Amino acid sequence: MSQRSLTQECQDRTSSKDFGCRPPIAHRCGEGEAEHHLCGGVKTAPYCNSRSSWKLQSFVIFHDVDALTQKLFPVVEGMQKHFSAGSGAYYSDSIFFLSVAMHRIMPTEMTRIVQLDLDLKYMSNIRSLFGEFEKFQPGAVIGIAREMQPVYRHTFWQYRRENPKTKVGDPPPDGLPGFNSGVMLLNLEAMRESELYNQLLNMENVRKLAEKYHFKGHLGDQDFFTLIGMEHIGLFHVLDCTSNRQLCTWWRDHGYAEIFDLYFKCDGQVKIYHGNCNTPIPDD
């Protein structure tokens, strides 16, 4: 079944007052692939219950956003004030922190997940993303691409002013531009086993990091990953920009035109286009 039809079915199941569809996630399920969609107003389907053809060995599972949020909230409550624009804002809901605590709320049988935004266009078989897990270095728990705009150069402005030699917010390849969560590989098994990662979820540790870097974000999970990545880059396997070729150019027109291309440049054949901030995606 196509992504379009899956998304439409999820929307059909969701009333206007519900959360609606969230990014699909996929994982290995036996010899096949399972695709999970998060919707409001539906009951969680049985684990690995086939909804499509067994011949194709693919599975589609719907999860109730409300049920997941109840599990999420105790874990992410402390970080929401640091990484949300405020009550009612787009990224203020706990569900936008799902990836942060996925290892705590998903069945233990699930060990690896590819989480994908809906505003993507695939130029190659996304199954190849599962091969990236084999490239994780010891200690890495999440695969994620760099942010391709100077958004975090802007967010860390005060820390950068106080620390003029810092690489925080600088462009690649030597800088720390932050991360973009449009395409993520979550090694749930490694996340469960990582003492460091789970310590960083602690409310007090989040507060200390946010205060140290004068950080106030508004982009949910990617703000958290960006912040902890400034001190613990070893937790991350950095995906090539071609696996999350972001297209948004908002910051080029808002004060950063001279340095924008240092962040936005991406060489190589694009595997996944990301039409973030409602940017049109090329037809071919």
Side-chain angles (χ1 to χ4, degrees), residues 65-275:
V65 166
D66 294 327
L68 289 181
T69 300
Q70 290 178 8
K71 296 179 181 179
L72 267 178
F73 187 72
V75 182
V76 304
E77 177 185 11
M79 64 179 67
Q80 284 186 246
K81 65 180 180 180
H82 299 293
F83 311 128
S84 300
S87 178
Y90 184 70
Y91 286 100
S92 64
D93 294 327
S94 296
I95 201 65
F96 288 106
F97 296 86
L98 176 64
S99 60
V100 169
M102 191 84 78
H103 61 301
R104 294 191 179 181
I105 65 174
M106 286 298 177
T108 56
E109 294 90 343
M110 294 177 65
T111 59
R112 295 178 175 182
I113 280 178
V114 175
Q115 180 171 314
L116 305 163
D117 274 4
L118 291 175
D119 54 350
L120 303 177
K121 181 177 181 179
Y122 309 110
M123 308 304 292
S124 62
N125 193 330
I126 63 171
R127 182 174 292 186
S128 63
L129 286 173
F130 280 98
E132 289 288 328
F133 284 109
E134 307 307 322
K135 302 177 184 178
F136 279 33
Q137 295 297 310
V141 301
I142 294 170
I144 191 170
R146 294 185 177 95
E147 172 61 43
M148 295 181 64
Q149 292 193 93
V151 53
Y152 290 113
R153 185 185 188 98
H154 184 84
T155 304
F156 285 108
W157 71 269
Q158 185 172 348
Y159 182 82
R160 288 174 56 81
R161 186 178 65 180
E162 296 173 356
N163 300 271
K165 295 183 179 181
T166 186
K167 293 184 178 181
V168 170
D170 277 355
D174 298 322
L176 297 169
F179 295 121
N180 182 280
S181 60
V183 175
M184 286 190 294
L185 312 181
L186 308 178
N187 188 329
L188 301 187
E189 188 172 23
M191 292 169 74
R192 293 172 184 128
E193 294 177 353
S194 174
E195 182 177 354
L196 172 60
Y197 181 77
N198 286 285
Q199 286 176 347
L200 291 169
L201 293 178
N202 178 272
M203 186 182 306
E204 180 63 14
N205 290 331
V206 172
R207 184 192 64 78
K208 289 179 180 178
L209 275 178
E211 288 185 358
K212 174 180 177 179
Y213 288 96
H214 309 294
F215 190 92
K216 174 56 180 173
H218 64 283
L219 296 174
D221 57 356
Q222 82 170 44
D223 284 338
F224 173 73
F225 296 139
T226 290
L227 183 59
I228 67 173
M230 295 303 160
E231 296 198 354
H232 305 286
I233 193 64
L235 287 170
F236 300 94
H237 168 70
V238 179
L239 297 174
D240 187 79
C241 63
T242 59
S243 293
N244 180 6
R245 203 317 173 203
Q246 302 140 53
L247 299 173
C248 183
T249 59
W250 192 90
W251 287 96
R252 182 172 61 192
D253 303 322
H254 292 81
Y256 292 93
E258 292 185 3
I259 62 170
F260 185 83
D261 286 340
L262 296 177
Y263 295 83
F264 197 67
K265 180 181 178 182
C266 180
D267 296 325
Q269 185 171 355
V270 175
K271 300 173 183 175
I272 301 176
Y273 279 113
H274 184 184

